[in-house]
Amino acid sequence: MKIRHYSLEQFLELVKEFHGYEAPGVVIGGFMVDLAYGHLPEGGLFDAVSETPKCLPDAIQLLTPCTLGNGWLTVVNVGRYALTLYDKKSGEGVRVFVDTDKLEPWPELKTWFFKLKPKNEQDSDRLAREIREAGVEILGVQNVKMPHRFLEHRKRGSMAVCPECHEGYPLDDGPRCLSCSGKENIYTTRNK
Amino acid sequence: MKIRHYSLEQFLELVKEFHGYEAPGVVIGGFMVDLAYGHLPEGGLFDAVSETPKCLPDAIQLLTPCTLGNGWLTVVNVGRYALTLYDKKSGEGVRVFVDTDKLEPWPELKTWFFKLKPKNEQDSDRLAREIREAGVEILGVQNVKMPHRFLEHRKRGSMAVCPECHEGYPLDDGPRCLSCSGKENIYTTRNK
């Protein structure tokens, strides 16, 4: 059993190292990414969308060239456990999702996915076993075409020095940066 | 010269592998994370904020336990090149930012930071050299206290099956998932 270029055990090690623990969602995410690549032409350059910020983005960041910081991974939080890999230019791609109809044979997985029991009442060993045994069997695949806004590569405009905090910020944001203008105030105390 | 537990060369290798190339912003981000830890108590558990989605989140993900998928990294896009590491419980932390007053001795770095020339007219070798030589000299440090909303750990509510797409989604989002309700429609064509 391979997850991209890794054995399952190698991938689980990577997950622990990067994500902090062997999270069920990241392991399932590994099967999802692998399945998506299996439906895409070899050697293509694909951007990624995750439909949830939870767990799945880390499987994508570990197994594709797409990261949050390089801009090739976008999170569109619609709360679904699904990802899409799509051609950067054409927008054509493949979406992989958890098919809820296919969860029936895996009671612990279903319990985890729908949160039918509190975490401390779930059987984590059984869950891990079911995830490995189920593999891609709980997944569905769709062909999708991404809307234009996912293909545009917006150039950042000019940078300026904010007159208040004296830091660099995108001039498009207005006469002050979004923090100093109060539109996104995140700090309660500051001593510069 | 060390970037956390790595030599600079080891860190640059990690950056290439994860981010795809030795992006100036991620390298500077490495110095920023390292400086932040130097101002924090040893062995603490810190969450992270990046004030930009560009590059900096990857330095954080490579050098701290915080990732997008495990929820310990939050991006608050105010367009500033700054990060904060803060105690998960108290909200007390350290913010590191690029101090624009300190860029003068580094002309290529300043040109890159403020985008004073188009990319193809910038001298990338000189930029890389200046970034390494400058190290933490271009940075500033502040003590901050994060507002309460960064400390709350919202529990996800129940999951349900969306009557339209038949996928799992958070019931709090309404009678249908945010995609099917049209609030976040990201796909133009689908063939399930």
Side-chain angles (χ1 to χ4, degrees):
Chain A
M1 192 191 288
K2 296 274 268 180
I3 303 278
R4 297 292 289 151
H5 312 299
Y6 303 106
S7 68
L8 179 60
E9 294 311 319
Q10 286 174 323
F11 175 63
L12 296 178
E13 272 309 305
L14 281 180
V15 172
K16 265 181 251 177
E17 203 177 309
F18 185 66
H19 188 82
Y21 62 104
E22 200 184 301
V26 187
V27 182
I28 295 171
F31 288 109
M32 294 171 74
V33 172
D34 194 67
L35 185 62
Y37 273 114
H39 285 77
L40 288 165
E42 292 256 340
L45 271 184
F46 307 106
D47 278 357
V49 165
S50 174
E51 296 184 29
T52 174
K54 291 178 194 282
C55 291
L56 195 47
D58 283 1
I60 294 169
Q61 293 187 110
L62 284 171
L63 296 169
T64 77
C66 310
T67 71
L68 179 58
N70 70 20
W72 301 341
L73 164 63
T74 307
V75 174
V76 180
N77 186 5
V78 293
R80 297 190 300 197
Y81 216 75
L83 63 82
T84 297
L85 296 182
Y86 62 97
D87 184 281
K88 285 174 189 296
K89 287 188 180 152
S90 70
E92 304 277 350
V94 164
R95 177 176 186 267
V96 174
F97 58 98
V98 171
D99 188 333
T100 55
D101 292 336
K102 297 176 178 169
L103 292 177
E104 286 308 325
W106 313 101
E108 202 63 34
L109 221 169
K110 185 179 172 184
T111 297
W112 169 80
F113 187 80
F114 284 113
K115 298 190 290 172
L116 304 178
K117 286 182 195 167
K119 271 240 160 81
N120 57 6
E121 288 175 27
Q122 293 179 22
D123 181 340
S124 58
D125 289 343
R126 182 165 180 182
L127 173 58
R129 212 164 51 236
E130 287 190 3
I131 288 172
R132 291 171 203 213
E133 283 175 23
V136 300
E137 283 180 32
I138 58 167
L139 306 176
V141 182
Q142 299 168 317
N143 295 316
V144 294
K145 187 172 166 66
M146 302 302 292
H148 192 67
R149 68 184 164 102
F150 284 90
L151 310 181
E152 284 163 352
H153 279 275
R154 291 145 299 188
K155 285 217 171 178
R156 270 197 305 182
S158 300
M159 294 287 284
V161 172
C162 172
E164 201 144 323
C165 66
H166 219 68
E167 294 182 34
Y169 79 104
L171 195 51
D172 286 348
D173 287 348
R176 292 170 196 190
C177 80
L178 291 180
S179 180
C180 291
S181 68
K183 282 172 197 152
E184 275 279 9
N185 217 329
I186 54 179
Y187 302 101
T188 48
T189 61
R190 294 173 56 171
N191 44 347
K192 200 159 182 172
Chain B
M1 191 191 288
K2 296 274 268 181
I3 303 277
R4 296 293 289 151
H5 312 298
Y6 302 106
S7 68
L8 180 60
E9 295 310 319
Q10 285 174 323
F11 176 63
L12 296 178
E13 272 310 305
L14 281 181
V15 172
K16 266 182 249 176
E17 204 177 307
F18 185 66
H19 188 83
Y21 62 105
E22 199 185 301
V26 187
V27 182
I28 295 170
F31 289 108
M32 294 171 75
V33 172
D34 193 66
L35 185 62
Y37 273 112
H39 285 77
L40 288 165
E42 293 257 340
L45 270 184
F46 307 106
D47 278 358
V49 166
S50 174
E51 296 185 29
T52 173
K54 291 179 193 281
C55 291
L56 195 48
D58 283 1
I60 294 168
Q61 294 187 109
L62 284 171
L63 296 169
T64 78
C66 311
T67 71
L68 178 58
N70 70 20
W72 302 341
L73 164 63
T74 307
V75 174
V76 180
N77 187 5
V78 293
R80 298 191 299 198
Y81 216 74
L83 62 83
T84 296
L85 296 183
Y86 62 97
D87 184 280
K88 285 174 189 296
K89 286 187 183 157
S90 70
E92 304 276 349
V94 164
R95 177 177 186 266
V96 174
F97 58 99
V98 171
D99 188 333
T100 56
D101 293 335
K102 297 176 179 168
L103 291 176
E104 285 310 324
W106 313 101
E108 201 63 33
L109 221 170
K110 184 180 174 183
T111 297
W112 169 80
F113 187 79
F114 283 113
K115 298 190 290 172
L116 303 178
K117 286 182 194 168
K119 271 241 160 81
N120 58 7
E121 288 174 27
Q122 294 178 22
D123 182 340
S124 59
D125 289 342
R126 182 164 180 184
L127 174 58
R129 212 165 50 237
E130 287 190 4
I131 289 172
R132 290 172 204 213
E133 284 175 23
V136 299
E137 284 181 30
I138 58 168
L139 306 176
V141 182
Q142 298 168 318
N143 295 317
V144 293
K145 186 170 165 66
M146 301 303 293
H148 192 67
R149 67 184 164 102
F150 284 90
L151 309 182
E152 285 163 353
H153 280 274
R154 292 147 298 192
K155 285 217 169 179
R156 270 197 305 181
S158 299
M159 294 286 286
V161 173
C162 171
E164 200 143 326
C165 67
H166 219 66
E167 294 181 34
Y169 79 105
L171 195 52
D172 286 348
D173 287 348
R176 293 170 195 189
C177 80
L178 291 179
S179 180
C180 291
S181 68
K183 282 172 197 151
E184 275 281 8
N185 216 329
I186 54 179
Y187 302 100
T188 49
T189 62
R190 294 173 58 172
N191 43 348
K192 199 157 184 173

